[in-house]
Amino acid sequence: MPTINEVTTLEVKEEVAVITLNSPPVNALSANVREGLNNGVSAAIEDNSVKSIIIICEGRTFIAGADITEFGQAPKGPSLYDVQDMIENSPKPIVAAIHGTALGGGLEVALTCHYRIAVPSAKCGLPEVNLGLLPGAGGTQRLPRIVGAQKALVMMTSGEHVPANQCLEMGLVDEMAGEGELESDAINFANKIVSEGRPLVKVRDADDKIKGDKGNDALFAEFRKSILRKTRGFLAPEYNIQCVEAAVNLPFEEGLKVEQDLFMKLMTGSQSAAQRYIFFAQRQVTKIPDIEKDTPLKEINSVGVIGAGTMGGGISMNFANVGIPVTIIEQSQERLDKGLSIIRKNYENTAAKGRITNEQVEERMALIDGQTSIEALDSQDLIIEAVFENMDLKKDIFKQLDGICKEGAILASNTSALDVNEIAAETNRPEDVIGLHFFSPANVMKLLEIVRGDKTSKSVVASSLAIAKKIQKIAAVVGVCPGFVGNRILAQRQREANKLILEGALPWDIDDALFDFGFPMGPFAMSDLAGLDIGWNKETSNGETLRDVLCEAGRLGQKSGKGFYTYDENRNKSPDPEVEEIIKKFGEERQAQMRDISKEEILQRCLYPMINEGFKILEEGMAIRASDIDIVWTNGYGWPVYEGGPMFYGNLVGYDKVLEWLQNAEKELGPEFKPSAYLEKVVAEKINIL
Ligand code: 3H9
């Protein structure tokens, strides 16, 4: 087969030039691939025996986009725009033959082809928005010309991968191929185009799908409104919208200029840098240096969950959702029935929203078997204990499990802070014990902390990672330390937030600063949501903490209509003068010195100690890499993805500046700000940890 370059071949079959790209893993548009396309297409155009051309890929997918690893590097090889021009202006019809995913720059290449054919399992999308970008190779101008402004807006701001049959309906795909028959069907299609004398369709010239929306400002205003909440703080969705506006209102070439200008703004900004970092961090987090790829995995075909409370119920749903039967244990029939009815209600709510069918509700419920005796856990492959945080109770349960569970079963605790090694020591099989820390609500939250004990076997860690993937969680492997990675860092923010209140900042000042930074809510709104009385005891409460005083005043949080805030019947919060009074009195009794505190100071006080704690975690080896910490915080605690997580953000601020701030804070405010030795080392030796 004639080779064009190391990733491209060209073969003429039945007068069709078949240009095949083979650049694993995802045929991204690296310099090599662009060169292959460039030289392949020009050779095919020059070859007189060729009547038409198809572009097809080997491996798991069609071109999945620009090569993100090349971003920010000096350009090499032919530019994508030159390649696209050559394709679009080819005197011979060119067909994109799509399997897997045609994404980003990949779809943009396909949009410069004259026709597109896809197998039923293929998907198309412009997911650049998820990397803080917009399609920068003409996609923002061509997609609306094919599918109309409304659909283009949805695709570009959500980044969704649209199934081939829907693409066919939209006109994005012209022809379907048989599954596994892509090349031969594409060749037949190309020959048909030639024999029927079909035109060389240039998407750039089409305007029937967009002309009706020219000057339709309301369309864009409505759309902006509809995604406002979901996209708060992100720049890319708005820039994508502006590009579609340009596509509708301006000639193609002028629209391209708008696209280029906005693309460069995003590309050189910190948001996209953060989002691209998170993209790779998410793919790295499951790679555990000392666990080989061929580590034997334990099969997990059945699960036992101890506790049918909020956590246990949510955890069980994860497994039932993917068809794995769950045995759920509660102490009494009454509590079990209550837990099961909450699970059912959750599923029914999802069905009411149209996300699953009523049959699926029944199928999933049928997979959940409630039992009141722990003895029922004698045959399951994975057991997850999800009772409340009490070491003695957990130890007792694990001792029992050791005697009941089958040999080789994984014994997991959902503890959010307790010592997994201590729990494991209660059993005669500590190698099978691990922490699986789900986040509430466990059926919704993406993050899973996999807590690796000193004796946990590699096979148990690898199997936990595999099951996490199956139930669609983003898992980070962390070490045993109080609070692990997530809650350990959270404790820093909580401590400072509480202290700031007694220095003059009001709860809403602190919440607003963190909300404006990009968190979905601040710590006090969060406490109100969780309930201030969690862990509070009416009998022993003695007004020692602000929380005591608020609870004593009946301010238990959202559920009682008031906590740090007051809530209306729709749970909308507003600051409350009574709370201000309570804080004032509480402060006076303790001779607190109140002062004005700026938003900037609030952020530094709350965020810099978190960064410092991240360094301590790395120093102690409790997280494998800095980016794992950022995965925990962006997926489990609402750290805005466009700020990259605490470790990325620290670098953005400058670790040297964070260190200097901590050194001053240690002198002025106390030892809790003492900088981590590792942070000092990273700054002194300019080590890149990201
Ligand atoms: C763009 O196109 C900009 C243009 O508009 C403008 C240009 C001027 N580049 O996810 P996986 C790697 S922006 C480089 O585990 P899956 C990935 O890191 C781009 N590398 O597989 C991983 O490496 P490793 C728009 C990439 O089967 C390996 O491939 N496109 C790229 O679960 C496997 O990835 C996108 O945003 C890339 N573009 O999912 C699509 N993509 O094995 C981004 C992947 O070393 N990609 N890698 O860890 C995806 O969404 C998924 O990778 C995909 C496959 C769905 C394709």
Side-chain angles (χ1 to χ4, degrees):
M1 198 180 293
T3 301
I4 295 291
N5 70 3
E6 60 193 88
V7 297
T8 320
T9 58
L10 187 157
E11 202 179 357
V12 182
K13 296 182 181 173
E14 302 167 43
E15 300 181 318
V16 180
V18 180
I19 298 172
T20 307
L21 302 170
N22 186 7
S23 179
V26 295
N27 291 308
L29 288 160
S30 60
N32 257 347
V33 170
R34 295 195 305 272
E35 183 195 71
L37 271 174
N38 190 65
N39 298 353
V41 173
S42 70
I45 292 172
E46 275 165 31
D47 185 337
N48 287 334
S49 70
V50 168
K51 296 263 170 29
S52 62
I53 301 163
I54 65 172
I55 298 173
I56 192 166
C57 293
E58 283 283 343
R60 66 217 240 198
T61 179
F62 190 74
I63 306 166
D67 186 340
I68 314 169
T69 58
E70 274 187 359
F71 288 1
Q73 291 177 12
K76 267 198 312 198
S79 86
L80 184 55
Y81 315 108
D82 291 342
V83 175
Q84 286 178 299
D85 275 348
M86 185 191 305
I87 295 174
E88 199 163 49
N89 295 318
S90 157
K92 300 175 184 177
I94 304 190
V95 176
I98 302 170
H99 78 292
T101 44
L103 299 178
L107 182 58
E108 291 176 293
V109 166
L111 282 169
T112 53
C113 294
H114 307 111
Y115 295 92
R116 286 153 296 281
I117 182 170
V119 291
S121 60
K123 289 183 175 161
C124 297
L126 291 177
E128 283 86 344
V129 71
N130 296 326
L131 299 170
L133 292 172
L134 54 86
T140 68
Q141 303 306 296
R142 289 192 179 87
L143 186 71
R145 283 177 163 79
I146 273 203
V147 304
Q150 178 69 33
K151 288 203 175 92
L153 284 169
V154 173
M155 276 179 75
M156 286 161 51
T157 56
S158 68
E160 67 179 322
H161 301 179
V162 181
N165 58 352
Q166 286 177 35
C167 294
L168 184 72
E169 275 168 33
M170 288 182 193
L172 189 50
V173 161
D174 304 286
E175 187 90 0
M176 295 299 280
E179 204 67 61
E181 309 290 329
L182 184 58
E183 189 186 288
S184 55
D185 284 355
I187 291 174
N188 291 341
F189 182 45
N191 277 328
K192 196 160 102 178
I193 291 165
V194 174
S195 65
E196 291 178 1
R198 291 205 204 173
L200 297 172
V201 180
K202 289 187 187 176
V203 176
R204 60 187 287 154
D205 296 336
D207 82 337
D208 55 320
K209 286 266 177 74
I210 50 172
K211 62 178 180 232
D213 285 326
K214 198 168 177 153
N216 183 357
D217 295 343
L219 167 78
F220 295 96
E222 274 298 304
F223 188 78
R224 282 191 169 92
K225 223 165 89 193
S226 74
I227 61 162
L228 201 61
R229 242 184 96 212
K230 255 198 348 228
T231 58
R232 183 178 71 91
F234 288 90
L235 284 178
E238 169 57 25
Y239 284 19
N240 271 279
I241 296 173
Q242 289 179 21
C243 287
V244 180
E245 265 178 320
V248 167
N249 294 318
L250 300 175
F252 183 80
E253 288 297 338
E254 281 181 46
L256 269 190
K257 281 196 195 116
V258 173
E259 178 189 281
Q260 271 314 295
D261 182 36
L262 294 178
F263 179 80
M264 283 321 289
K265 278 196 181 136
L266 289 174
M267 183 65 164
T268 50
S270 66
Q271 285 207 353
S272 176
Q275 290 178 255
R276 281 179 274 139
Y277 159 81
I278 289 293
F279 175 85
F280 287 114
Q282 218 140 36
R283 279 151 184 83
Q284 215 179 8
V285 68
T286 49
K287 295 177 181 139
I288 314 303
D290 68 324
I291 296 187
E292 302 75 29
K293 267 199 167 140
D294 57 357
T295 302
L297 295 180
K298 287 169 180 274
E299 272 199 31
I300 299 176
N301 296 319
S302 57
V303 173
V305 174
I306 306 172
T310 316
M311 256 350 252
I315 292 171
S316 303
M317 289 172 75
N318 284 300
F319 295 99
N321 293 349
V322 295
I324 298 178
V326 184
T327 305
I328 185 165
I329 309 289
E330 243 318 336
Q331 280 171 317
S332 70
Q333 191 63 44
E334 194 189 336
R335 286 164 82 155
L336 182 62
D337 291 344
K338 190 171 166 215
L340 290 173
S341 72
I342 292 173
I343 296 176
R344 173 172 281 283
K345 207 160 150 217
N346 278 337
Y347 278 139
E348 285 171 352
N349 286 342
T350 313
K353 287 181 197 144
R355 296 209 204 111
I356 55 173
T357 62
N358 290 332
E359 292 81 72
Q360 281 173 313
V361 174
E362 297 312 322
E363 274 163 28
R364 291 176 194 195
M365 284 310 296
L367 285 169
I368 303 177
D369 172 33
Q371 294 287 337
T372 50
S373 163
I374 196 167
E375 303 284 335
L377 298 181
D378 58 352
S379 63
Q380 292 77 2
D381 300 319
L382 163 67
I383 315 295
I384 304 172
E385 162 278 307
V387 303
F388 61 88
E389 290 287 272
N390 177 304
M391 184 52 109
D392 290 339
L393 177 62
K394 293 201 191 250
K395 278 183 172 176
D396 180 51
I397 288 175
F398 273 76
K399 208 176 197 145
Q400 291 185 57
L401 288 177
D402 195 20
I404 297 167
C405 297
K406 72 172 187 189
E407 198 186 322
I410 300 177
L411 309 183
S413 171
N414 177 49
T415 177
S416 58
L418 297 176
D419 186 337
V420 173
N421 292 327
E422 208 179 320
I423 296 173
E426 287 300 304
T427 72
N428 290 310
R429 36 173 139 169
E431 67 282 3
D432 290 336
V433 177
I434 195 160
L436 292 181
H437 178 208
F438 289 80
F439 290 71
S440 189
N443 52 320
V444 177
M445 294 293 287
K446 279 265 163 243
L447 180 67
L448 179 69
E449 277 184 327
I450 296 185
V451 190
R452 184 177 185 175
D454 291 347
K455 297 195 174 153
T456 310
S457 75
K458 288 183 183 184
S459 167
V460 166
V461 176
S463 307
S464 300
L465 281 162
I467 192 72
K469 190 170 179 195
K470 179 145 195 199
I471 60 172
Q472 287 146 33
K473 297 288 172 200
I474 294 169
V477 175
V478 301
V480 179
C481 57
F484 313 128
V485 166
N487 283 345
R488 178 169 165 180
I489 291 179
L490 179 67
Q492 296 291 316
R493 188 181 83 178
Q494 196 61 47
R495 184 195 66 225
E496 288 311 305
N498 289 341
K499 274 164 50 188
L500 280 165
I501 287 191
L502 293 185
E503 293 176 33
L506 288 163
W508 31 95
D509 297 333
I510 298 164
D511 279 356
D512 286 353
L514 290 163
F515 179 80
D516 291 346
F517 180 78
F519 283 100
M521 63 174 80
F524 299 103
M526 188 70 158
S527 302
D528 274 359
L529 180 66
L532 296 187
D533 57 337
I534 291 182
W536 175 74
N537 186 330
K538 199 172 176 177
E539 267 65 58
T540 55
S541 181
N542 54 10
E544 215 167 79
T545 65
L546 190 55
R547 198 257 304 247
D548 285 347
V549 181
L550 290 169
C551 286
E552 284 164 21
R555 307 191 70 108
L556 305 181
Q558 276 198 21
K559 60 183 163 193
S560 65
K562 53 187 186 171
F564 282 102
Y565 295 85
T566 293
Y567 295 85
D568 67 15
E569 58 281 3
N570 297 320
R571 300 210 163 190
N572 292 317
K573 63 180 183 342
S574 48
D576 187 338
E578 187 184 301
V579 172
E580 239 177 292
E581 267 313 304
I582 291 175
I583 291 172
K584 197 164 156 229
K585 187 157 166 271
F586 188 84
E588 278 166 5
E589 283 163 11
R590 283 153 187 81
Q591 287 157 2
Q593 301 292 313
M594 302 292 201
R595 63 192 168 90
D596 279 341
I597 303 180
S598 71
K599 194 165 162 177
E600 189 193 359
E601 187 180 344
I602 291 173
L603 283 181
Q604 288 170 334
R605 281 282 294 275
C606 289
L607 304 183
Y608 290 7
M610 298 169 75
I611 300 166
N612 194 33
E613 198 64 26
F615 275 97
K616 290 183 188 166
I617 285 170
L618 289 173
E619 194 176 312
E620 294 166 24
M622 294 297 153
I624 296 166
R625 24 180 124 71
S627 62
D628 289 7
I629 297 177
D630 287 339
I631 286 300
V632 167
W633 265 80
T634 48
N635 287 289
Y637 297 83
W639 189 292
V641 177
Y642 57 78
E643 300 279 11
M647 307 314 284
F648 183 90
Y649 177 72
N651 187 46
L652 213 57
V653 172
Y655 292 140
D656 53 343
K657 292 205 176 68
V658 175
L659 175 61
E660 197 187 324
W661 185 92
L662 287 165
Q663 285 163 337
N664 289 333
E666 186 189 5
K667 276 186 222 132
E668 285 168 22
L669 299 166
E672 61 271 39
F673 295 94
K674 184 178 167 40
S676 128
Y678 186 49
L679 169 60
E680 289 171 342
K681 183 179 159 78
V682 163
V683 170
E685 298 175 21
K686 295 193 169 52
I687 302 170
N688 179 8
I689 61 160
L690 296 179

